[in-house]
Amino acid sequence: MTTAPTTPTSGDTYTCRYCRLQSQLGQDQRSCPTCGAPIDLRAAVSTSGWVEQPPIADMTRIQFGRSRVQIEGDVVPVADFSLHEGESVYFSHHALLWAEPGVRITNHPNAKGWKRMLAGMPSYMLDATGPGRVGISDNHAGEVIAVPLPAGGAMWVREHRFLAATTSIDYTYARNGLWYRTGYGDDRETHYPLGMYDDVFTARSEPGLLLLHAPGNTFVRDLAPGEHILVQPRALLYKDLSVQMGLHLEAPSMAGWSTWRRFQVRTMFLRLVGPGRVAVHSVFENELEGEAVTGGQYTTQQW
Amino acid sequence: MRDMEQFRFSASTVQVEGTMVPVAEVNLAQGDSVYFEHHVMLWKDPQAPLAAYSVPGGAKRKLAGMPHLVTVAYGPGRVAFSREAPGELLVIPLGPGVELDVREHAFVVASHTTAYSYVRIKGLTNLLHGGNGMYMDRFITSGEPGVVMLHGNGNVFERYLQPGERIQVEPGGFLYKDASVQMNTVQLDVKTGMFSKGLFVAEFVGPGRLGIQSMYHHHGSD
């Protein structure tokens, strides 16, 4: 299903349906000035309510502060930052694709990085400070998603999806407590479907730009208060802090069949409860299935 | 390159098909031939003859994990090639007297008028930290023009470096360069792990063109 296209013109105040921010359109503007989403497309909305987030068009520019970023490519897009004197962005060191020698690259202050290292997360991040250009990219086929945050705004992001952010955005993390256990005795294993930590990005006193990389295509949905939905945990890209989440195990009816007690036909979902915005991406790693769940905090549905 | 784009070399034609994992479909004319690594051949007409060609220094390349035998397909007939990764197929026409260095395992297919050689990457730092293996493929044209097709993972970007101009690139992002472009490894003074310090990047110095790919294997330390 598609909805009627909006055709804003130069000078109009435009509210982007993807980043939800208002901006003034410039001459011949074809993309949202704050997130780069095309403005002249019909919204592609599935019958269930998911809105497909259109990829940022090749060579689209997004201004932030006195610097700008240009999104280049459409298979594995690169964020090509042109940094003004004194302005900086931060990113994981493995996302650095190229840099002009004039750009100052230093370590980003990151408290308790060793905890994240133990969790398999990037523990050391880098700051790139202008003047100069630096290219940042992930290494999976997908889309770069720009999430502009107004002053005071915050966004939850799943681990490993962060690409880069302006230094006006604070980065914090905390254990999420979402886990379950399989196996018995010495074979017990603890699983963290979302990883052990939540990443939260907060724009302090001034707005900032957060860039994420989403493998595959991205879909966004607004959940009404109390509305809930089940998604694959590793497909979640970002969500508003107001959206609550928990694990939910679904086991299909076996129609008289049974399995050995160590095995179980089941799917471990993530239950998201509104109100708020959630985004998922279409390429994801499946939760391991087969081993019987023997512990953890989750709700269950046996069909 | 757009889906279904066609171009010509010698008396043969190539059509590039697909956008996510593109295929190069070569329609070889009588007397023309192309060479390639055998595992990139997707399909062929039964009547197109094949032959093996041993690359000079083959044993050394074998030890370095590189193909030491390439396969040659002769016209007339159609042969199609692809590498199994999302990315772009690059067609690089080479005028007479050009030398092009290419990252290992990026080469898809080249015309018979292009000589295939290799260069050993010099310097222990380049070898240990450069992330580009021990060898680079080198494609050389002499009296006649030729064409080389490469597969770049993700998107591919080219930049022309002026004489003395430098740029630092994640080593896994390097795809190709003119032989005139120098490649060195430099270490950035940043911490990258609890016990590791220093991020190695490849520094390229002009003059010449440099191609990079956006989906790369990270070779830095964690």
Side-chain angles (χ1 to χ4, degrees):
Chain A
M1 187 178 89
T2 57
T3 59
T6 53
T7 51
T9 54
S10 172
D12 280 359
T13 299
Y14 171 72
T15 304
C16 177
R17 66 166 74 93
Y18 305 105
C19 71
R20 318 289 166 88
L21 296 184
Q22 277 194 343
S23 51
Q24 291 288 125
L25 292 184
Q27 197 74 28
D28 298 327
Q29 187 91 42
R30 289 170 160 253
S31 58
C32 169
T34 54
C35 78
I39 62 173
D40 51 357
L41 286 183
R42 289 170 180 269
V45 187
S46 74
T47 49
S48 61
W50 288 100
V51 179
E52 182 179 354
Q53 172 133 8
I56 298 175
D58 194 12
M59 299 298 168
T60 297
R61 291 176 178 177
I62 303 170
Q63 188 80 26
F64 60 95
R66 289 171 294 172
S67 306
R68 67 166 186 259
V69 59
Q70 186 165 30
I71 307 301
E72 301 164 352
D74 50 11
V75 179
V76 183
V78 177
D80 178 347
F81 286 93
S82 177
L83 296 170
H84 193 270
E85 171 83 49
E87 293 193 348
S88 54
V89 293
Y90 64 97
F91 48 87
S92 295
H93 72 273
H94 57 73
L96 177 66
L97 179 62
W98 60 265
E100 288 180 347
V103 174
R104 193 154 52 89
I105 294 181
T106 53
N107 277 112
H108 182 74
N110 189 15
K112 298 179 183 173
W114 60 274
K115 271 191 182 176
R116 291 178 59 81
M117 197 179 74
L118 290 176
M121 292 287 292
S123 49
Y124 288 87
M125 302 226 267
L126 303 181
D127 281 340
T129 306
R133 289 175 175 272
V134 60
I136 311 289
S137 83
D138 197 290
N139 56 2
H140 295 91
E143 297 172 358
V144 169
I145 306 294
V147 184
L149 294 178
M155 188 64 76
W156 179 100
V157 175
R158 192 169 67 79
E159 63 176 26
H160 301 302
R161 298 279 58 91
F162 166 67
L163 188 63
T166 56
T167 46
S168 57
I169 291 181
D170 263 348
Y171 165 54
T172 55
Y173 56 90
R175 289 186 80 116
N176 58 34
L178 297 174
W179 59 274
Y180 65 92
R181 191 170 286 145
T182 58
Y184 298 90
D186 293 340
D187 287 340
R188 280 193 302 186
E189 190 179 353
T190 305
H191 304 264
Y192 300 91
L194 277 181
M196 287 173 73
Y197 292 92
D198 289 340
D199 287 346
V200 177
F201 295 87
T202 309
R204 294 165 303 206
S205 51
E206 50 183 307
L209 181 66
L210 170 65
L211 294 185
L212 311 177
H213 178 91
N217 297 114
T218 301
F219 302 87
V220 185
R221 182 166 173 166
D222 280 293
L223 296 177
E227 184 184 4
H228 67 263
I229 188 168
L230 303 177
V231 301
Q232 286 281 354
R234 290 190 171 95
L236 184 62
L237 177 61
Y238 65 81
K239 68 173 186 69
D240 285 334
L241 299 187
S242 56
V243 175
Q244 302 297 308
M245 57 186 182
L247 293 178
H248 176 75
L249 185 143
E250 293 235 342
S253 164
M254 298 295 287
W257 290 83
S258 61
T259 59
W260 190 36
R261 77 169 188 134
R262 280 181 169 270
F263 294 95
Q264 185 179 28
V265 181
R266 47 85 177 169
T267 303
M268 187 62 84
F269 284 108
L270 186 68
R271 181 199 293 274
L272 300 170
V273 185
R277 176 172 42 154
V278 298
V280 296
H281 52 83
S282 60
V283 174
F284 59 90
E285 195 182 334
N286 270 305
E287 265 301 291
L288 283 175
E289 292 186 21
E291 272 197 289
V293 177
T294 54
Q297 295 178 326
Y298 53 88
T299 54
T300 307
Q301 171 70 55
Q302 174 70 58
W303 294 100
Chain B
M1 184 166 283
R2 282 178 302 188
D3 195 12
M4 301 297 167
E5 190 79 48
Q6 284 195 66
F7 64 94
R8 180 172 287 276
F9 69 93
S10 301
S12 306
T13 57
V14 179
Q15 187 166 31
V16 177
E17 304 160 356
T19 54
M20 187 59 86
V21 184
V23 175
E25 183 183 311
V26 184
N27 187 4
L28 286 167
Q30 179 75 42
D32 282 352
S33 61
V34 290
Y35 58 89
F36 51 90
E37 295 175 20
H38 68 277
H39 57 86
V40 303
M41 184 169 63
L42 183 63
W43 60 263
K44 69 180 275 294
D45 281 346
Q47 71 272 17
L50 295 181
Y53 164 66
S54 180
V55 179
K60 284 184 193 171
R61 286 173 64 85
K62 179 75 178 166
L63 288 174
M66 294 287 290
H68 66 290
L69 280 175
V70 292
T71 308
V72 186
Y74 296 91
R78 289 176 183 270
V79 194
F81 309 95
S82 77
R83 280 195 182 265
E84 66 288 7
E88 293 182 9
L89 195 77
L90 264 83
V91 178
I92 305 183
L94 302 178
V98 172
E99 294 189 358
L100 186 79
D101 294 338
V102 175
R103 176 191 191 86
E104 60 182 22
H105 305 302
F107 160 57
V108 176
V109 62
S111 67
H112 64 287
T113 53
T114 311
Y116 182 36
S117 180
Y118 64 93
V119 283
R120 191 169 69 79
I121 294 175
K122 292 177 183 163
L124 195 60
T125 312
N126 266 331
L127 282 177
L128 294 178
H129 301 292
N132 292 307
M134 285 178 71
Y135 296 99
M136 280 189 291
D137 289 333
R138 177 166 283 181
F139 296 91
I140 305 161
T141 52
S142 45
E144 283 184 80
V147 65
V148 175
M149 281 172 261
L150 310 179
H151 180 92
N153 294 321
N155 290 110
V156 175
F157 304 91
E158 184 180 281
R159 182 156 169 171
Y160 188 87
L161 298 175
Q162 298 300 325
E165 187 183 359
R166 293 165 189 266
I167 189 163
Q168 293 165 343
V169 176
E170 151 67 38
F174 164 67
L175 184 60
Y176 66 89
K177 69 179 183 67
D178 282 332
S180 56
V181 174
Q182 290 175 41
M183 183 174 78
N184 306 304
T185 300
V186 297
Q187 189 178 19
L188 302 181
D189 184 23
V190 290
K191 200 164 169 56
T192 55
M194 188 176 284
F195 303 110
S196 54
K197 193 168 189 303
L199 180 66
F200 285 95
V201 293
E203 185 170 81
F204 294 89
V205 186
R209 61 188 158 166
L210 168 69
I212 63 171
Q213 57 188 358
S214 63
M215 189 166 77
Y216 51 86
H217 302 288
H218 173 59
H219 295 279
S221 50
D222 271 316

